[in-house]
Amino acid sequence: IIARGLLATVTVESREKLGLARRLRQEIDFLLSLDSLYAPAHFALGKWHLSLSKLSWVQQMACKLAGGLPEPPSLEQALRCFDQSIQLQPNNILFHYNKALALVEMGRATQALPVILTAMELPILGLD
């Protein structure tokens, strides 16, 4: 999922990006069907919503004309997904950071600050 998501961010052609976004969403949905408490899948779904919600209206129309997406992306859904991933794995800095990004994108920067501060207070794992 991570590799496909990264590939989608560097792909230039809109049709290919749309195909990657659809495939990524299928993989995330499959993971969640296997384990609805798998925090990284909720995080990936949040990233999916966060990334695609930034499409311009022209890009959104092109997506609709090309068959659309399984669900319209939204910042609100991204935030819910990040909250779910944090609830399941509260010590993951990446989950907190992306929640803060979603809040900033929503124009709620003052709410993002305590989220970032919480992330900064988390232990750095794996450096023992």
Side-chain angles (χ1 to χ4, degrees):
I1 288 175
I2 292 170
R4 196 174 308 280
L6 290 173
L7 182 60
T9 61
V10 297
T11 301
V12 177
E13 188 180 323
S14 296
R15 186 172 297 261
E16 187 177 353
K17 275 188 182 213
L18 179 59
L20 287 168
R22 285 183 186 145
R23 179 72 179 154
L24 183 61
R25 180 58 191 266
Q26 290 171 345
E27 292 173 1
I28 293 167
D29 290 344
F30 177 70
L31 281 175
L32 288 171
S33 75
L34 293 175
D35 184 357
S36 65
L37 300 179
Y38 187 54
H42 287 281
F43 169 74
L45 185 54
K47 286 293 285 186
W48 185 89
H49 278 280
L50 179 61
S51 297
L52 292 175
S53 68
K54 295 179 184 181
L55 294 176
S56 70
W57 70 271
V58 173
Q59 292 169 315
Q60 290 177 19
M61 291 304 292
C63 280
K64 286 180 185 177
L65 292 173
L69 294 167
E71 167 185 11
S74 77
L75 290 172
E76 293 79 14
Q77 187 61 30
L79 188 57
R80 284 191 287 276
C81 292
F82 294 139
D83 282 336
Q84 180 68 26
S85 63
I86 290 168
Q87 182 180 354
L88 295 167
Q89 266 184 19
N91 288 334
N92 191 310
I93 294 170
L94 193 58
F95 297 172
H96 291 272
Y97 173 74
N98 280 274
K99 177 181 177 176
L101 286 178
L103 287 166
V104 168
E105 286 291 323
M106 296 170 85
R108 296 163 52 186
T110 55
Q111 292 175 322
L113 182 59
V115 176
I116 288 293
L117 293 174
T118 298
M120 291 173 59
E121 293 173 1
L122 294 174
I124 298 175
L125 304 175
L127 296 180
D128 297 338

